[in-house]
């Protein structure tokens, strides 16, 4: 990789990370009860790690998908602001238009993004314990965890 | 057992038989042939794990043990995830452990309509007996079933149409609920804990972390193979394996096998190669109750209701841990949070259909091995009917609300919603689900015109190369296929040894 390519790659990564972070926060509606129980940076890192190890096709689709979500252009979307600069209600409404769209591929892109980041969010131990996933977790990790219910 | 990820030398060996893949097909062939006195090599692309290695969350286990980190899907309408194992034990190491014998109706179809008289139901019974003894098939115990299963059982009983406990390949299952993510107690008798150890005891050599890519070919005879060793990140270690053997058995699974043959120029002239793919599309329905269910505790797939004969639909228990469930929730934002917060109150039940839709395995530039599959309207209708049935059972049984993965019907709250679903016209792309049983891409047939292998599993027009995995199963089964595949493999081993193997 040339220095120029690396610079672009890193830039896209940093930008992509911002968008992912915003997406994860929106998916859980910025709920403090959730956010406080997860290490969001770790969730993003694990999501990125998973993306990096994916088959090439999905890797490319996901990279493009992240930017499509951010800067969607007609006919994918008629909004005029980037996703990351919307307020929470706007972001939620925007994601709802994607998830309820009759345009199949639009739903699929969101589904693909969700299927990468939500499993990482919901494998954060304190969040799992707070939704009652306790015995099964301890059996698997052989560790003792505790936290207050969500 | 030779672990290719740590090996630092090239290997060149001679065997009587070499088998590619250690799943339901390959491991059974390896054990039966090794016990029959042959020198057997079993080559597996994935790593080997001991039960105590399975100590991670479901999502991490998927990453560790599933092909392409769990990202294998069909292309078409809808796109359907089609997970497969890439680990010693193949997909049996990550399956739910449900066992069915091939239904009589299917045998009749094979005999009468496809002319496959060699697949005789009566002759298969002692083979099934043998397979069931090897993997210890027994009925699921209500005491360790997930509450998501027993609640459905109670609802069906109240309606006067009870289902039955599923038969599973287990020994002392404690109901930890992680069957599809590696069984940490070793209770599930997947081939890595049942057949493979017996094959090794009988003298077979097992190579793990070795991807077979090339067959050694002279004319139209295959006489061995070449593979490359990989590390746990799928990267080459730089070392290779070369095995010479007069009998080469391909058991890579329904999706990889036709591609491996095609890449080597084998059977490429055969129109059937990679075609006739059936997958048993599945989906599930969640139902929220007042009681705490903790559906993740207990065996997730332990109970069923068979409407296969009548409607082509089979209902089977299913429940996934929250990290896996989160990716399939049909909501975002506050409703997603609410769903996950209430996940402990959810029951779920799944359905699979006997599909008449057929797909293909092809190689595409940039995508590599690709599965093309579109659901035909008849199958879409079966799925809609199945979802509506489950929703009705749950709602009438006292569920507060029902959630489906059908676009436009994510939430069913009352009789009116249900009626709307029951009268709906659904498009294929509105369905979200998965498929766990790919079959048929090198199907067995009487002639080259209709299939890829003959009734002794030999690739038509070729010598020395045989296929023995889900890809040879001639049609969709309507039931979970591992026992059928194992029975085919046992029968095939008998053909190679020149004697019938029975119990
Ligand atoms: C989540 C899940 C749950 C399931 N539950 C059930 C169930 O409850 N009951 C049931 O009957 N069935 C179930 N199934 C399906 C069942 O497990 C499979 O149908 C069966 O294991 C297929 O057997 P196979 O031999 O065709 O392939 P596999 O079992 O997939 O084995 C193929 C093996 O070959 C290896 N391989 C492929 N290519 C190469 C290569 N080039 N070089 C070396 N090795 C290679 C693969 O890594 C793999 O290990 C389930 C499947 C899934 C995904
Ligand atoms: S539920 Fe039983 S078979 Fe499944 S992983 Fe747990 S112990 Fe193993």
């Amino acid at each position: 990789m040339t220095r120029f390519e690396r610079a672009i790659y890193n830039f896209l990564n940093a930008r992509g990370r911002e968008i992912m972070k915003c997406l994860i926060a929106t998916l859980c509606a910025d709920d403090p009860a959730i956010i406080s129980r997860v290490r969001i940076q770790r969730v993003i890192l694990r999501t990125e790690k998973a993306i990096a190890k994916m088959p090439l096709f999905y890797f490319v689709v996901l990279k493009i998908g992240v930017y499509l979500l951010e800067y969607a252009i007609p006919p994918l979307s008629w909004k005029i602001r980037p996703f990351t600069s919307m307020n929470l209600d706007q972001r939620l409404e925007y994601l709802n238009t994607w998830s309820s769209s009759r345009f199949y591929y639009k739903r699929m892109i969101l589904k693909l993004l969700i299927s990468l980041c939500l499993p990482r969010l919901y494998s954060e131990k304190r969040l799992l314990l707070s939704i009652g996933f306790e015995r099964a977790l301890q059996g698997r990790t052989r560790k003792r965890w505790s936290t207050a219910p969500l | 057992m030779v672990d290719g990820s740590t090996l630092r030398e090239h290997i060149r060996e001679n065997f009587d038989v070499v088998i590619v893949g250690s799943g339901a097909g390959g491991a059974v062939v390896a054990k039966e042939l090794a016990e029959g006195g042959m020198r057997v090599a079993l080559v597996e692309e994935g790593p080997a794990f001991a039960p105590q290695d399975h100590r991670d969350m479901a999502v991490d286990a998927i990453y560790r043990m599933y092909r392409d980190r769990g990202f294998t899907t069909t292309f078409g309408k809808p796109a359907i995830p089609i997970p497969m194992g890439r680990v010693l034990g193949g997909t049996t190491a990550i399956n739910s452990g449900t066992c069915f014998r091939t239904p009589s109706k299917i045998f009749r179809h094979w005999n009468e309509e496809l002319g496959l008289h060699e697949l005789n139901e009566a002759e298969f019974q002692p083979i099934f007996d043998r397979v069931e003894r090897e993997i210890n098939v027994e009925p699921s115990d209500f005491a360790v079933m997930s509450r998501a299963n027993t609640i459905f059982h109670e609802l069906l009983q109240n309606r006067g149409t009870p289902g039955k406990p599923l038969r599973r390949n287990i020994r002392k299952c404690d109901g930890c609920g992680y069957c599809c993510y590696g069984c940490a107690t070793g209770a599930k008798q997947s081939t890595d804990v049942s057949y493979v150890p017996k094959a090794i005891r009988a003298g077979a050599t097992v190579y793990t972390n070795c991807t077979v890519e090339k067959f050694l070919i002279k004319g139209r005879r295959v006489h061995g193979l070449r593979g490359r060793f990989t590390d746990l990140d799928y990267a080459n270690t730089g070392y290779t394996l070369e095995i010479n053997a007069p009998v080469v058995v391909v058991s890579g699974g329904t999706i990889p096998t036709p591609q491996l043959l095609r890449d080597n120029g084998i059977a490429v002239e055969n129109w059937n190669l990679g075609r006739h793919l059936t997958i048993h599309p599945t989906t599930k329905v969640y139902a929220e109750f007042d009681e705490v269910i903790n559906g993740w505790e207990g065996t997730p797939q332990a109970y069923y209701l068979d409407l296969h004969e009548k409607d082509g639909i089979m209902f089977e228990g299913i429940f996934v841990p929250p990290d896996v469930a989160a990716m399939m929730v049909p909501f975002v934002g506050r409703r997603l949070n609410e769903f996950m917060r209430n996940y402990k109150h959810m029951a779920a039940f799944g359905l699979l259909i006997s599909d008449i839709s057929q797909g293909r395995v092809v190689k595409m530039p940039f995508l590599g091995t690709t599965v093309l599959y579109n659901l035909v309207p008849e199958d879409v209708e079966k799925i809609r009917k199945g979802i509506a049935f489950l929703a009705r059972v749950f709602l009438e049984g006292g569920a507060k609300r029902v959630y489906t993965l059908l676009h436009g019907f994510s939430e069913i709250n009352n009789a009116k919603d249900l009626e709307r679903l029951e009268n709906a016209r659904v498009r294929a792309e509105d369905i979200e689900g998965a498929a766990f049983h790919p079959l048929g891409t090198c199907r067995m047939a009487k002639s080259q015109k209709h299939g890829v292998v003959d009734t002794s599993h030999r690739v038509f027009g070729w010598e020395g190369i045989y296929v023995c995995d889900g890809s040879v199963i001639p049609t969709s089964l309507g039931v979970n296929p591992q026992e059928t595949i194992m029975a085919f493999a046992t029968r095939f081993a008998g053909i190679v040894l020149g004697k019938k193997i029975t119990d």
Side-chain angles (χ1 to χ4, degrees):
Chain A
M1 209 186 274
T2 64
R3 275 176 62 185
F4 179 67
E5 280 169 339
R6 193 182 300 276
I8 292 196
Y9 184 81
N10 287 343
F11 166 74
L12 289 180
N13 257 356
R15 188 82 198 92
R17 197 169 293 147
E18 274 310 301
I19 305 167
M20 284 305 259
K21 189 172 167 185
C22 189
L23 173 64
I24 293 169
T26 314
L27 284 173
C28 56
D30 279 346
D31 187 336
I34 294 181
I35 303 285
S36 66
R37 284 179 169 82
V38 300
R39 276 176 285 173
I40 202 87
Q41 218 48 45
R42 202 172 78 148
V43 173
I44 292 165
L45 266 175
R46 292 184 67 212
T47 307
E48 283 206 336
K49 213 174 125 191
I51 295 179
K53 292 276 168 63
M54 289 177 77
L56 183 66
F57 171 76
Y58 291 102
F59 177 80
V60 173
V61 170
L62 272 160
K63 284 273 169 186
I64 296 172
V66 168
Y67 289 96
L68 275 180
L69 188 79
E70 170 77 341
Y71 302 112
I73 41 152
L76 271 183
S77 166
W78 299 93
K79 76 180 172 75
I80 31 159
R81 298 173 64 182
F83 177 63
T84 44
S85 57
M86 296 177 188
N87 67 31
L88 176 65
D89 285 334
Q90 287 168 330
R91 276 185 275 138
L92 281 173
E93 201 189 314
Y94 176 58
L95 284 193
N96 272 320
T97 62
W98 280 64
S99 70
S100 60
S101 169
R102 269 185 75 80
F103 183 33
Y104 176 61
Y105 294 102
K106 190 169 167 183
R107 290 205 313 267
M108 284 311 295
I109 294 172
L110 181 65
K111 200 81 226 172
L112 200 59
L113 290 170
I114 287 179
S115 67
L116 262 165
C117 45
L118 279 187
R120 266 84 209 170
L121 186 77
Y122 275 93
S123 41
E124 285 287 295
K125 308 278 185 307
R126 289 197 325 130
L127 182 56
L128 282 171
L129 290 168
S130 72
I131 60 167
F133 187 76
E134 194 175 340
R135 222 177 76 190
L137 181 66
Q138 279 161 1
R140 196 68 175 182
T141 57
R142 285 203 175 141
K143 281 189 192 150
R144 294 243 141 244
W145 311 88
S146 70
T147 189
L150 190 63
Chain B
M1 178 128 57
V2 181
D3 177 357
S5 67
T6 53
L7 197 75
R8 290 295 167 263
E9 58 178 321
H10 298 289
I11 292 188
R12 211 173 177 165
E13 289 273 4
N14 296 322
F15 287 92
D16 296 333
V17 187
V18 59
I19 302 157
V20 184
S22 63
V28 176
V29 178
K31 179 252 177 198
E32 297 295 357
L33 292 185
E35 286 186 351
M38 297 184 91
R39 290 194 62 223
V40 174
L42 179 63
V43 187
E44 169 54 53
E45 186 172 18
F49 294 109
Q52 59 273 19
D53 294 332
H54 302 304
R55 285 286 167 205
D56 43 5
M57 302 289 304
V59 65
D60 297 322
I62 290 176
Y63 189 75
R64 183 167 55 87
M65 297 198 290
Y66 283 39
R67 183 163 291 277
D68 289 339
R69 318 291 184 187
F71 271 87
T72 38
T73 94
T74 63
F75 283 73
K77 285 202 173 163
I80 303 176
I82 188 162
M84 290 165 262
R86 187 189 176 280
V87 60
L88 189 69
T91 308
T92 71
I94 55 146
N95 77 13
S96 305
T98 294
C99 291
F100 278 100
R101 294 188 176 197
T102 318
S104 299
K105 177 181 150 181
I106 300 293
F107 273 116
R108 276 200 304 279
H109 175 64
W110 291 347
N111 298 162
E112 290 163 16
E113 280 154 60
L114 307 182
L116 294 165
H117 302 292
E118 292 84 345
L119 304 180
N120 179 294
E121 182 173 9
E123 282 181 23
F124 261 89
Q125 296 316 310
I127 301 181
F128 286 130
D129 291 342
R130 181 182 179 92
V131 169
E132 289 181 2
R133 183 171 49 79
E134 290 295 339
I135 58 173
N136 204 52
V137 177
E138 59 183 43
S140 301
D141 183 352
F142 277 101
V144 291
M145 271 185 211
S146 158
R147 178 78 185 118
N149 283 227
T150 56
I151 206 167
F152 194 70
H153 162 66
E154 287 160 17
L155 300 185
L156 288 182
Q157 254 189 338
N158 294 344
R159 299 172 76 88
T161 53
K164 286 186 195 154
L166 282 165
R167 296 168 76 240
R168 305 180 66 235
N169 54 331
I170 40 164
R171 268 181 225 279
K172 298 193 187 136
C173 161
D174 70 2
C176 73
Y178 276 93
C179 311
C180 296
Y181 315 103
C183 175
T185 62
K188 194 178 72 181
Q189 298 298 296
S190 45
T191 57
D192 54 325
V193 298
S194 54
Y195 278 96
V196 173
K198 283 197 178 170
I200 294 173
R201 276 200 293 278
T205 307
V206 177
Y207 298 92
T208 57
N209 295 296
C210 183
T211 305
V212 173
E213 282 176 337
K214 281 261 166 290
F215 292 119
L216 308 178
I217 300 173
K218 209 177 247 168
R220 288 182 80 80
R221 171 177 286 280
V222 179
H223 61 91
L225 53 77
R226 208 170 280 144
R228 57 180 171 84
F229 292 113
T230 57
D231 63 19
L232 297 181
D233 278 332
Y234 300 8
N236 286 345
T237 60
Y239 296 95
T240 57
L241 171 75
E242 186 175 309
I243 290 178
N244 278 286
V247 175
V248 176
V249 184
V250 189
S251 304
T254 301
I255 309 301
T257 288
Q259 195 49 50
L260 188 55
L261 295 181
R262 194 178 286 135
D263 285 346
N264 283 275
I266 296 169
V268 279
E269 68 287 355
N270 190 325
W271 182 84
N272 298 291
L273 184 68
R275 291 178 191 259
H276 312 296
L277 170 73
T278 60
I279 59 174
H280 287 164
T282 71
T283 187
K284 65 184 161 192
V285 163
Y286 284 109
E288 189 182 329
F289 286 86
D290 282 325
E291 80 170 275
V292 172
I293 288 177
N294 286 344
W296 52 72
E297 286 173 8
T299 316
Q301 189 170 89
Y303 191 80
Y304 77 110
L305 173 69
D306 186 356
L307 297 187
H308 174 233
E309 286 281 328
K310 193 168 137 262
D311 294 325
I313 312 174
M314 172 76 95
F315 298 93
E316 289 182 3
I318 188 160
F319 205 90
V320 293
D323 47 343
V324 178
M327 66 175 120
M328 290 180 268
V329 178
F331 307 117
V332 295
R334 296 179 188 100
R335 291 185 76 196
L336 165 72
N337 297 347
E338 197 182 309
F339 184 99
M340 294 308 292
R341 199 172 276 138
N342 290 333
Y343 197 52
K344 59 177 174 287
H345 291 278
M346 305 268 183
F349 220 76
L351 67 96
L352 69 84
I353 62 156
S354 185
D355 44 342
I356 54 171
S357 315
Q358 290 201 349
R360 279 170 72 186
V361 176
V362 295
K363 189 164 188 172
M364 306 262 265
F366 182 52
L367 288 172
T369 303
T370 305
V371 182
L372 306 177
Y373 183 94
N374 284 301
L375 270 180
V376 299
E378 289 91 324
D379 285 342
V380 172
E381 181 53 17
K382 276 184 225 165
I383 294 175
R384 187 202 57 77
K385 250 174 115 170
I387 294 174
F389 172 80
L390 289 176
R392 180 167 286 284
V393 172
F394 278 129
L395 267 191
E396 290 180 354
K400 288 206 298 202
R401 59 186 72 87
V402 164
Y403 300 98
T404 82
L405 303 181
L406 194 56
H407 184 63
F409 295 92
S410 303
E411 197 171 321
I412 312 276
N413 287 303
N414 48 41
K416 211 168 137 208
D417 291 348
L418 195 57
E419 200 181 316
R420 199 168 65 83
L421 170 61
E422 282 170 339
N423 297 317
R425 274 174 62 99
V426 171
R427 301 175 306 165
E429 59 266 39
D430 293 336
I431 294 169
E432 200 178 307
F436 304 104
H437 307 154
L439 300 171
T441 52
C442 297
R443 74 178 181 185
M444 184 178 281
K446 284 308 276 183
S447 75
Q448 186 157 354
K449 208 171 137 198
H450 299 109
V452 176
V453 299
D454 65 19
T455 51
S456 59
H457 292 248
R458 187 177 57 89
V459 176
F460 282 115
W462 287 78
E463 296 297 325
I465 184 141
Y466 301 81
V467 179
C468 190
D469 56 20
S471 70
V472 302
I473 306 299
T475 58
S476 174
L477 296 171
V479 297
N480 310 48
Q482 68 170 343
E483 193 174 334
T484 298
I485 299 170
M486 291 176 180
F488 268 58
T490 310
R491 175 181 170 273
F492 167 65
I495 294 171
V496 175
L497 292 171
K499 62 172 193 192
K500 274 192 182 148
I501 300 179
T502 57
D503 202 25

